[in-house]
Amino acid sequence: MMKNRIGYLYLVITTFIWGSVYIASKYALETMGPVTVLCVRYVVAGAALCILLKVRKTRRPIERGHWKYIWIVGGLGYFVSITCQLVGTKLLDASLASLINGMNPITISLLAAIFLKEKIQKKHIVSICISIVGVYIILGIGGGSISMAGVLASVCSVLLWSTASVAIRKVSGGYDPVQIALYGLGIALIFTVPAAIVESMGQPPVINRTAVLSCIYLGVVGTAVAHTLWNMSLKLLDASVCSMFYPLQPLTSAVLGIFFLHEVITWNFVVGGLLICAGVLITVLFTGNRKTEKA
């Protein structure tokens, strides 16, 4: 039971950090391209994780059969999924892109049921439905024309990140979460660096104090800390349970947007926020101390 509580704490912190990433990214994206921001973010995060792993002294050789999961995490999760998310956000209204991203709990639960044999319980279905309704109420859908390419990119991002989360669950029991995050980012950089170079040729980045501070936050806190805590959560809890906390991200972004971007709080925000919290509480309060161990 104590492990469950610690896992929930990690999830709350992680979702808060990931919610803040959208705010920090806005400052960095003012003068830098999205892939360039992602590249700098991963370089900073990689350095932080290297130091952390060296201090912890918990690195161990990756078993031959586990490398395929690490490549899925780094290639599909950290690189392709996040890139698709950026493309979707660029082509769609921010509200619609965020709403699609809020569908992660459904896809993670389904994939976990298929590949990890985790049971989808009724409370999980209720939690998902309530939380998604809350996200919809807060964000709504823009009235403009919808780019099908943007929708496709956002859906691909959700599916690929869900696949990566299931892959992490496959190996999370045998390695330090810091090591998994570091190796995943290392693989992602193999693809991100050349992509950022190509982008920079067409959109030269302008480096200023705001961009530097934003990238440091995105790298150290938004990536190194957040992904480590996410991996630790997946080590303690089922992937389907962890996914229930995803709807807290847009709620966090909305709250931070009020303070930092001077956005106005509305009734739909209040109602939607209460529904999101209710959805998460259903999972937390009615989940016992069962934890399915995977090989």
Side-chain angles (χ1 to χ4, degrees), residues 102-207:
M103 300 299 171
N104 264 299
I106 298 175
T107 54
I108 290 180
S109 295
L110 291 176
L111 291 175
I114 295 172
F115 295 104
L116 302 179
K117 309 304 179 184
E118 294 181 4
K119 294 182 179 179
I120 302 180
Q121 302 179 37
K122 290 182 179 179
K123 62 175 175 288
H124 291 165
I125 298 175
V126 173
S127 176
I128 289 173
C129 293
I130 293 176
S131 296
I132 294 303
V133 170
V135 172
Y136 179 85
I137 291 175
I138 289 178
L139 300 175
I141 298 181
S145 59
I146 297 176
S147 166
M148 292 309 299
V151 171
L152 180 61
S154 297
V155 170
C156 285
S157 174
V158 170
L159 291 174
L160 292 174
W161 181 252
S162 299
T163 302
S165 294
V166 172
I168 291 173
R169 184 84 166 112
K170 278 284 190 180
V171 297
S172 60
Y175 305 96
D176 187 330
V178 175
Q179 183 178 0
I180 296 176
L182 175 60
Y183 283 26
L185 288 181
I187 291 171
L189 280 171
I190 295 175
F191 306 102
T192 308
V193 170
I197 292 174
V198 173
E199 180 185 69
S200 297
M201 291 179 179
Q203 183 181 348
V206 177
I207 307 300

Side-chain angles (χ1 to χ4, degrees), residues 103 243 263:
M103 300 299 171
S243 71
E263 295 178 354

Side-chain angles (χ1 to χ4, degrees), residues 63-75:
E63 295 181 19
R64 195 171 189 177
H66 290 168
W67 272 110
K68 59 184 177 182
Y69 299 115
I70 303 297
W71 275 91
I72 290 174
V73 172

Side-chain angles (χ1 to χ4, degrees), residues 27-33 36-37 40 199-200 203-215:
Y27 292 108
L29 289 170
E30 288 178 356
T31 58
M32 302 171 66
T36 303
V37 170
V40 176
E199 180 185 69
S200 297
Q203 183 181 348
V206 177
I207 307 300
N208 55 34
R209 182 172 177 271
T210 301
V212 170
L213 292 177
S214 297
C215 287

Side-chain angles (χ1 to χ4, degrees), residues 11-292:
L11 285 171
V12 170
I13 296 174
T14 300
T15 51
F16 174 83
I17 292 174
W18 278 345
S20 70
V21 161
Y22 292 97
I23 307 301
S25 295
K26 284 190 176 182
Y27 292 108
L29 289 170
E30 288 178 356
T31 58
M32 302 171 66
V35 181
T36 303
V37 170
L38 187 64
C39 183
V40 176
R41 172 182 174 180
Y42 284 172
V43 169
V44 174
L49 288 171
C50 278
I51 296 173
L52 183 57
L53 187 61
K54 188 172 183 179
V55 171
R56 291 166 66 90
K57 297 180 180 179
T58 52
R59 189 182 72 83
R60 53 165 293 192
I62 302 294
E63 295 181 19
R64 195 171 189 177
H66 290 168
W67 272 110
K68 59 184 177 182
Y69 299 115
I70 303 297
W71 275 91
I72 290 174
V73 172
L76 293 183
Y78 291 164
F79 174 63
V80 183
S81 173
I82 303 303
T83 300
C84 286
Q85 184 186 81
L86 292 170
V87 172
T89 301
K90 182 177 181 179
L91 296 177
L92 296 173
D93 291 341
S95 58
L96 180 54
S98 298
L99 182 61
I100 294 174
N101 187 59
M103 300 299 171
N104 264 299
I106 298 175
T107 54
I108 290 180
S109 295
L110 291 176
L111 291 175
I114 295 172
F115 295 104
L116 302 179
K117 309 304 179 184
E118 294 181 4
K119 294 182 179 179
I120 302 180
Q121 302 179 37
K122 290 182 179 179
K123 62 175 175 288
H124 291 165
I125 298 175
V126 173
S127 176
I128 289 173
C129 293
I130 293 176
S131 296
I132 294 303
V133 170
V135 172
Y136 179 85
I137 291 175
I138 289 178
L139 300 175
I141 298 181
S145 59
I146 297 176
S147 166
M148 292 309 299
V151 171
L152 180 61
S154 297
V155 170
C156 285
S157 174
V158 170
L159 291 174
L160 292 174
W161 181 252
S162 299
T163 302
S165 294
V166 172
I168 291 173
R169 184 84 166 112
K170 278 284 190 180
V171 297
S172 60
Y175 305 96
D176 187 330
V178 175
Q179 183 178 0
I180 296 176
L182 175 60
Y183 283 26
L185 288 181
I187 291 171
L189 280 171
I190 295 175
F191 306 102
T192 308
V193 170
I197 292 174
V198 173
E199 180 185 69
S200 297
M201 291 179 179
Q203 183 181 348
V206 177
I207 307 300
N208 55 34
R209 182 172 177 271
T210 301
V212 170
L213 292 177
S214 297
C215 287
I216 291 176
Y217 178 83
L218 289 171
V220 176
V221 181
T223 305
V225 174
H227 284 284
T228 297
L229 291 176
W230 174 250
N231 293 347
M232 292 173 73
S233 301
L234 288 169
K235 188 174 182 178
L236 297 173
L237 301 167
D238 285 344
S240 56
V241 175
C242 294
S243 71
M244 301 301 151
F245 284 73
Y246 260 92
L248 285 176
Q249 291 184 50
L251 176 60
T252 302
S253 297
V255 172
L256 294 176
I258 293 170
F259 288 100
F260 291 98
L261 304 178
H262 307 294
E263 295 178 354
V264 180
I265 189 170
T266 59
W267 279 110
N268 61 312
F269 166 76
V270 175
V271 174
L274 290 174
L275 286 174
I276 290 173
C277 291
V280 173
L281 284 175
I282 287 174
T283 296
V284 175
L285 295 180
F286 296 98
T287 298
N289 57 7
R290 179 191 66 81
K291 176 184 181 294
T292 305

